Amino acid sequence: MRIALTGGSGKLGRTVLARLRAEGHHVINFDLAGNRGAGFVRIDLTDFGQVVDAFSGVNDQVDGFDAVVHLGAIPAPGLAPDVATFHNNMLSSYNVFQAARRNGIKRIVYASSETVLGLPFDVDPPYIPVDEEYPARPESTYSLVKHLEEQMAVELVRWDPELSITALRFSNVMDPEDYARFDDFQADATLRKWNLWGYIDGRDGAQAVLKALQTAPPGFERFIIAAADTVMRRPSAELADEVFPNVRLTRLVNGTDTLLAIDKARRLLGYSPEHSWQDPR
């Protein structure tokens, strides 16, 4: 496919860019930062004119696109004032979605976030493992935007029944070099309670993007994308009982299995995490 990738210079974006190109796709990285040369175009996603023009094609590189992968955003709460986060992320996503539609692009995969599940879980989740079935519980401006993006996608696919939009609710993205500090989490179960001790290896995040591009049908779906395990060596059920004693465990959780349910992504996308922080390195 000819793929327009926003945010391909970011932490997850770099891995997604490499994986998609390794699979033979023609990918252009649209970002504010990046290395000059073929395959990179500097863009301000808050400027609709730039986005709609870019998605129509890039001179001497590609004549139009088959799909959009949208990762470009202020990537977490607290990195900018709330109003800056809202204005940048909300407007960028609207521009990307609408520019894709204006250019006849029918396949969009984008980064939603685990934060819509209620992070940092200062208020108990309704049950554990958490999944996509309960209503969004945004607790920050960043998370509010992610929720509004999902609602926007619901309406856009209603307007255009041929359109496919997939929201990937990524957990905390980690690269292999990040795993050395996981030992620091082990002594205190509360240090990583904020996302139920979850994470996602960037390489598995890229796998999820690829699977969504390959398999997502028309319409809108949201998926939690996390590793198969937690950041802890202690059993997950033991952690949940200690830190969230009043929350119902809805099923048997074996060993260090993730408490961010990835069953839906496994079933509908064929997503299958291949990497763990505890793998021999």
Side-chain angles (χ1 to χ4, degrees), residues 32-125:
L32 280 174
N35 296 321
R36 181 179 178 182
F40 170 74
V41 175
R42 183 169 288 106
I43 195 171
D44 179 357
L45 294 176
T46 66
D47 182 334
F48 181 70
Q50 290 188 37
V51 183
V52 76
D53 180 63
F55 287 3
S56 71
V58 177
N59 290 343
D60 303 322
Q61 295 189 53
V62 62
D63 182 18
F65 293 94
D66 304 304
V68 170
V69 176
H70 175 42
L71 307 180
I74 294 171
L79 299 180
D82 286 347
V83 69
T85 297
F86 187 92
H87 286 176
N88 182 86
N89 290 5
M90 194 73 233
L91 184 56
S92 294
S93 291
Y94 176 81
N95 288 348
V96 166
F97 292 176
Q98 188 72 339
R101 296 180 65 235
R102 293 287 190 237
N103 281 288
I105 301 168
K106 299 296 187 182
R107 185 168 295 272
I108 300 171
V109 177
Y110 81 98
S112 187
S113 169
E114 65 181 356
T115 61
V116 300
L117 298 167
L119 276 62
F121 291 126
D122 292 333
V123 175
D124 286 353

Side-chain angles (χ1 to χ4, degrees), residues 213-275:
L213 286 169
Q214 293 171 334
T215 66
F220 172 74
E221 281 289 359
R222 53 180 70 87
F223 299 95
I224 295 171
I225 303 298
D229 59 352
T230 71
V231 302
M232 303 293 283
R233 293 192 178 91
R234 290 175 56 189
S236 299
E238 179 182 304
L239 292 168
D241 183 61
E242 175 184 330
V243 180
F244 298 100
N246 299 317
V247 179
R248 176 172 57 97
L249 204 64
T250 59
R251 66 168 185 254
L252 179 66
V253 178
N254 295 312
T256 59
D257 282 357
T258 181
L259 298 175
L260 303 172
I262 55 176
D263 308 68
K264 183 179 178 181
R266 287 183 184 274
R267 185 175 70 252
L268 297 183
L269 295 181
Y271 168 67
S272 180
E274 299 173 346
H275 302 281

